[in-house]
Structures are given as structure tokens and as C-alpha cells.
Amino acid sequence: MNILYTLIIGAICGYIADMLMKNNGFGLIVNIIIGIAGSFVGDWLYGKLGIHIDVGNAILNQIIIGASGAIVILFLVGVLRGARPKRR
């Protein structure tokens, strides 16, 4: 059950980050992977900065931390890929 929970939270975090970063064109599987990795990055980043998120619900806390970590990952991927215009 924990694996399913992790995948669902990761998918939500990856989807939120993808939408906030202007839809980078990654699919569902990549969004889940980015969301899960973003949870680790967000947890590490918030810990290093000494920031504690508490909105009253543990799931929302994890989504906020995971989505912000996924945004950092997507930003770094965008920087590494270069600022190329999207093809239509």
C-alpha cells in the first residue's frame, strides 16, 4: 500500500510542477518519477533552509514539499536543456 501511496503523491506532485512550469511535455511516468524525486529534493531543501511546512494536513504538506522540489528539478532540467523554443 505504501508503494501505491508514494506513486499517487508523486504523480500529483509531478503534475502540479509540470503545470506550473508551463507543461514541459513529459509524460505521466516521467511526472511520477520527477514528483518522487522532487519529494526527496524538497525535503532536503526545506531541511537545509530550516523551513517547516504545516498546513494542517500531512498529505497536503507532502504535496507542497514534493511539488516545490519537483519545480526545482524541472527548473534545473530546463537550464541544462537550454532555452529552446517549443515546437508546435
Side-chain angles (χ1 to χ4, degrees):
M1 193 65 173
N2 287 335
I3 292 173
L4 181 62
Y5 176 74
T6 301
L7 291 176
I8 291 170
I9 295 293
I12 292 169
C13 294
Y15 177 78
I16 291 170
D18 192 43
M19 290 297 115
L20 291 176
M21 295 297 288
K22 303 295 183 198
N23 196 3
N24 288 316
F26 297 119
L28 177 64
I29 302 299
V30 176
N31 282 344
I32 291 172
I33 294 169
I34 289 173
I36 292 169
S39 295
F40 290 111
V41 170
D43 190 44
W44 175 80
L45 188 63
Y46 279 101
K48 287 293 183 184
L49 295 175
I51 299 172
H52 179 71
I53 300 293
D54 188 15
V55 294
N57 188 341
I59 294 174
L60 288 178
N61 293 342
Q62 291 175 340
I63 290 174
I64 291 169
I65 292 170
S68 59
I71 288 170
V72 169
I73 290 172
L74 287 175
F75 174 76
L76 293 175
V77 167
V79 168
L80 292 175
R81 288 170 74 188
R84 289 183 259 164
K86 292 182 186 178
R87 293 184 181 171
R88 292 184 185 185

